Amino acid sequence: MRFQETTVWRIARGALPVGCRQCTDGFEDVLFVTGICSFHCFYCPVSDEKMYKDVVFADEKRVDAGRGRPGGGHAIQATGAGITGGDPLDAVERTCHYIRLLKAEFGRGFHTHLYTMSTDAEKIRMLAAAGLDEIRFHVPPGLWSRAHGSAFVAASRLARSLGLIVGIEVPLIPEREADLVRLIEWAGDEGSPS
């Protein structure tokens, strides 16, 4: 397995995905669609202002969830948007609405990627139909060593079959190094960038 060091203190195997390149180049909107999440990860970086609250933020500015298109994409000449939360699939209809708005405003080439811990097949289909380009699964640390037998297998295969780019993004937890290696090996076998 060959890894490369990136400019943002991360290590990647192979070329960085489009969403990562846009982010590191400063051409990406960040859309936080909800703080709702059914997981309670000890490493979650979401602030108290957002965590477990059904709120929307675009580039750290609070947005009324029922009004138009949030964000400052034109001001930064954005070429894409990262959609995050909580878990965007816990507000999947809102998430799909925003994906459609972004694509309508900036064009089909505007790259959208999303972070989730959900493996819900129907919601993944909804995202693909709305125009999502890339999905990044946050596999919980307890599944790293056994992801090959988890629901993430079917979810990642479904997403790829729908034309989505699939990735795995997880934190580095030093005492879980062996498990992380097994997750990376599984992702490599599945064909997902990690």
Side-chain angles (χ1 to χ4, degrees):
M1 214 177 303
R2 298 180 76 203
F3 295 98
Q4 69 182 24
E5 204 166 325
T6 69
T7 58
V8 289
W9 309 298
R10 295 181 182 186
I11 295 178
R13 188 185 70 134
L16 285 175
V18 174
C20 290
R21 289 193 312 268
Q22 289 171 332
C23 180
T24 59
D25 292 343
F27 292 109
E28 179 184 76
D29 268 345
V30 176
L31 181 57
F32 183 96
V33 294
T34 185
I36 303 299
C37 182
S38 54
F39 296 90
H40 301 278
C41 304
F42 72 89
Y43 53 82
C44 183
V46 174
S47 70
D48 290 342
E49 178 184 18
K50 300 173 187 172
M51 189 175 279
Y52 307 121
K53 296 178 178 126
D54 196 17
V55 294
V56 178
F57 283 79
D59 296 325
E60 294 303 314
K61 292 181 183 171
R62 181 91 183 249
V63 173
D64 180 345
R67 298 201 182 197
R69 187 257 190 256
H74 291 291
I76 66 166
Q77 300 176 332
T79 56
I83 302 168
T84 188
D87 195 321
L89 274 68
D90 282 343
V92 71
E93 290 189 16
R94 178 187 308 156
T95 299
C96 290
H97 169 73
Y98 284 137
I99 292 168
R100 286 187 198 97
L101 281 175
L102 290 165
K103 296 286 187 170
E105 185 168 340
F106 291 99
R108 296 296 304 163
F110 189 81
H111 185 85
T112 54
H113 70 275
L114 174 145
Y115 302 88
T116 186
M117 291 183 87
S118 176
T119 58
D120 185 300
E122 186 53 36
K123 290 179 179 182
I124 293 169
R125 285 187 188 92
M126 290 172 67
L127 294 168
L132 184 71
D133 298 296
E134 182 177 341
I135 189 166
R136 308 240 184 106
F137 290 107
H138 287 298
V139 180
L143 291 179
W144 290 359
S145 66
R146 50 195 175 93
H148 62 280
S150 74
F152 286 97
V153 173
S156 65
R157 290 177 182 174
L158 170 64
R160 278 196 307 281
S161 77
L162 296 169
L164 299 177
I165 298 166
V166 176
I168 305 295
E169 191 161 321
V170 297
L172 175 59
I173 303 173
E175 61 271 9
R176 302 298 296 268
E177 183 178 345
D179 294 339
L180 181 58
V181 168
R182 290 185 69 189
L183 177 67
I184 292 168
E185 290 170 347
W186 167 73
D189 291 345
E190 285 291 317
S192 300
S194 52

